[in-house]
Amino acid sequence: MRQPLRYIHSISNSPNSGVRLAHALYQLGRMSLLIDTRGRLFTSSSLRSLFDWRHQLERRQLHALPQAYCEAWYAPGMRADEPALPGMVGGYDDVIFDSEWDCADLALLPDVAHTVVMEIRRTDESMRKAYAVLKTLARSGVTFRIGLLGDRLACDHIQAAGCHFLGHELVHAIFNVANENDAFAALAVRMADEERA
């Protein structure tokens, strides 16, 4: 029996986070589609396609760019709630939406397993934005998991604040891998183990 679609929302100021997560999942034998929703990863390859992502969905033909570790899709402005998307990505184990903090638009669907991965820096702005995402998730009514990575103290602070102000049920949704030597590998293992459970 096929697992439900799994969307991973990678939110970071660094364009490498989504790529590193796709690499880590590939090392576990998972096939991912990495969607460049901000046009910061695969802009040099955007001219290969005659049709933008909207036309590709209309034609039911994704023009994915093969990478050694995943397939990549240049789709600036794409949101996870695009109605035609679920029918097009069912062959992938994971669909990763690469987003920047200033443009993070989660668009959570009720019938999809969502994981939100946030790379948090030790600045007031970064922690404020991370807490706002936690608050949005806590009130969404959708099932989700949250992965925290980046600065260890900032991640610990956000986790504690979320659990204190947003409810203890959030404790079970958060996995903080900021203390791990290779946070992306730890995230990938954690996500793969949860799917098997």
Side-chain angles (χ1 to χ4, degrees), residues 4 7 34 93 95 120 123 145 147 174 177 180 186:
Y7 285 178
L34 176 57
D93 296 313
V95 179
I120 306 169
T123 65
R145 302 289 297 155
I174 296 175
V177 295
E180 301 290 334

Side-chain angles (χ1 to χ4, degrees), residues 40-117:
R40 64 182 184 164
L41 301 176
F42 305 108
T43 51
S44 62
S45 302
S46 65
L47 299 177
R48 289 186 181 183
S49 175
L50 295 174
F51 304 105
D52 69 6
W53 63 267
R54 289 175 184 87
H55 287 103
Q56 291 175 44
L57 287 177
E58 287 173 13
R59 293 172 165 267
R60 302 198 51 76
Q61 293 179 328
L62 294 187
H63 295 234
L65 308 166
Q67 306 293 309
Y69 52 91
C70 72
E71 289 193 356
W73 191 29
Y74 181 75
M78 162 67 73
R79 289 174 32 120
D81 62 351
E82 183 63 41
L85 188 62
M88 302 291 292
V89 298
Y92 297 98
D93 296 313
D94 306 288
V95 179
I96 304 169
F97 296 87
D98 178 72
S99 299
E100 295 172 294
W101 278 107
D102 293 335
C103 305
D105 188 359
L106 298 178
L108 303 171
L109 297 173
D111 54 346
V112 174
H114 293 278
T115 301
V116 178
V117 175

Side-chain angles (χ1 to χ4, degrees), residues 17-29:
S17 291
V19 171
R20 290 180 66 193
L21 183 55
H23 272 284
L25 289 166
Y26 174 76
Q27 295 297 319
L28 294 175

